[in-house]
Amino acid sequence: MMRAVRVEGFGEPPVIAEVPVPEPGPRDALVRVEATGVCRSDAHAWHGDDDTVRLPYTPGHEFVGIVEAVGSLVERVPVGARVTTPFVCGCGDCADCAAGRAQVCAFQQQPGFTYDGSFAEYVLITKADHNAVLVPEDIDPEGAALLGCRFATSYRGLVDRALLQPGETVAVLGCGGVGLSAVMIAAALGARVVAVDIAPAALELAAQSGADAVLDISGMADAETVAALRSHGPAVVVEALGRAETLALGVRALAAGGRLVQIGLLAADPVVPMGEVVARELSVLGSHGMAAADYPRLLELMRSGGLRPARLVTRRVTLAEAPAALMALGSGGAPAGVTMVAPGTLGA
Ligand SMILES: [Zn+2]
Ligand SMILES: [Zn+2]
């Protein structure tokens, strides 16, 4: 048996419970969780906004840990290795997975959503040969955990979707965990970064994470915000909040020919100002994590020193404190930066 955070009803306080340690299938790996991030998409699912989630369940999808056991068909993932995984685990068998697009696999599994996640002492990585990312010795483990969702999604959004070039201006709307990841990555890639939020503490973290300018839009009318952003001429806007109003504002703020990357999860399908998209030849793009096969570029950016995800960790809590941390994120009462749960050794 093991301890795990259990959600028994959407929006109800999660509890700590004793549950069976999950049994790896022939192609799966069982991982002892060392650290796991508390992400806005956990709060999203806890609220009942994700129709892939079945009650009761264990949240958590952004983790690092040590391989404890593997199924009989696993070849590439040794017991004892430190691993992380993208929150989207591809099936490993379909045409999209074969083409390196596991992040959009139609048969994907997601820890913390489609099966029990990492707010627990142990979690599974499905199809481990395809989805486990071996974490090298010289990579900070907490930083590696954050690659699982927020850093991978931001990286893919900026690099592979928006095709960001050094010297371009990027405006990041919303400086929660995923927004700060985008700030840090864009800065590491040589872009000029404008960070936008209404919380001074979040903007201060954004400045420390490499933002060249910060914009506090509290109390500003939308037209005023658009004008302020346009004065920076953003070639790329990252919507990192998941709000229809922010998406519309981001589209209007883009320079002509600009690209908007939607990274924040949206609870409903918003109206996009398509008139603007047509008249000024804008692109509206999505990013949904990143395949495990694409992680080496991100690990290299960490190794070269340009990217230090663990700097965003402002708070470390125990498993018993994880329910409160999750609920705080859902209510907007969470502190700036990233909260890390450490069921195992790191930060305990
Ligand atoms: Zn697949
Ligand atoms: Zn996430």
Side-chain angles (χ1 to χ4, degrees), residues 42-346:
D42 291 312
H44 200 75
W46 172 63
H47 274 295
D49 293 336
D50 188 319
D51 59 13
T52 65
V53 176
R54 296 282 169 272
L55 293 168
Y57 77 101
T58 297
H61 59 280
E62 195 178 59
F63 61 92
V64 70
I66 303 295
V67 177
E68 189 85 5
V70 295
S72 58
L73 300 178
V74 174
E75 294 174 349
R76 204 181 56 76
V77 184
V79 170
R82 176 170 283 142
V83 290
T84 183
T85 184
F87 75 93
V88 178
C89 291
C91 73
D93 302 319
C94 73
D96 279 318
C97 284
R101 294 188 297 266
Q103 78 278 358
V104 292
C105 169
F107 313 99
Q108 64 187 253
Q109 295 286 336
Q110 297 183 9
F113 301 92
T114 67
Y115 70 97
D116 285 333
S118 52
F119 290 2
E121 291 177 277
Y122 296 91
V123 66
L124 291 179
I125 296 179
T126 59
K127 310 291 173 65
D129 279 344
H130 190 69
N131 296 307
V133 175
L134 299 175
V135 178
E137 281 284 318
D138 58 347
I139 294 289
D140 176 76
E142 278 189 339
L146 292 180
L147 303 186
C149 175
R150 286 170 276 200
F151 273 81
T153 301
S154 295
Y155 182 87
R156 194 179 143 67
L158 287 167
V159 175
D160 295 332
R161 303 291 287 144
L163 306 177
L164 177 67
Q165 302 301 312
E168 285 189 318
T169 295
V170 180
V172 178
L173 310 185
C175 293
V178 73
L180 289 170
S181 310
V183 166
M184 205 182 256
I185 289 166
L189 294 169
R192 188 176 170 278
V193 184
V194 183
V196 182
D197 206 289
I198 55 169
L203 289 171
E204 195 178 317
L205 259 180
Q208 288 165 16
S209 303
D212 300 278
V214 298
L215 184 61
D216 186 341
I217 61 166
S218 47
M220 277 168 77
D222 280 2
E224 207 181 334
T225 303
V226 168
L229 281 170
R230 279 229 196 155
S231 73
H232 291 280
V236 174
V237 167
V238 175
E239 203 284 343
L241 210 57
R243 293 186 52 202
E245 300 83 352
T246 321
L247 166 57
L249 199 142
V251 167
R252 299 215 303 274
L254 277 170
R259 297 90 81 197
L260 179 127
V261 192
Q262 183 64 38
I263 286 177
L265 278 181
L266 295 151
D269 279 333
V271 173
V272 176
M274 287 306 288
E276 291 264 349
V277 172
V278 173
R280 299 193 298 117
E281 296 197 344
L282 310 175
S283 303
V284 178
L285 305 160
S287 173
H288 191 240
M290 187 164 77
D294 286 334
Y295 270 56
R297 291 181 292 165
L298 199 42
L299 291 170
E300 195 45 49
L301 199 55
M302 285 176 73
R303 187 176 283 123
S304 70
L307 193 63
R308 300 189 185 281
R311 281 192 179 172
L312 295 186
V313 179
T314 51
R315 196 163 65 123
R316 293 172 180 83
V317 302
T318 64
L319 198 59
E321 294 165 327
L326 176 63
M327 289 189 288
L329 200 57
S331 70
V338 168
T339 296
M340 196 63 101
V341 182
T345 50
L346 292 177

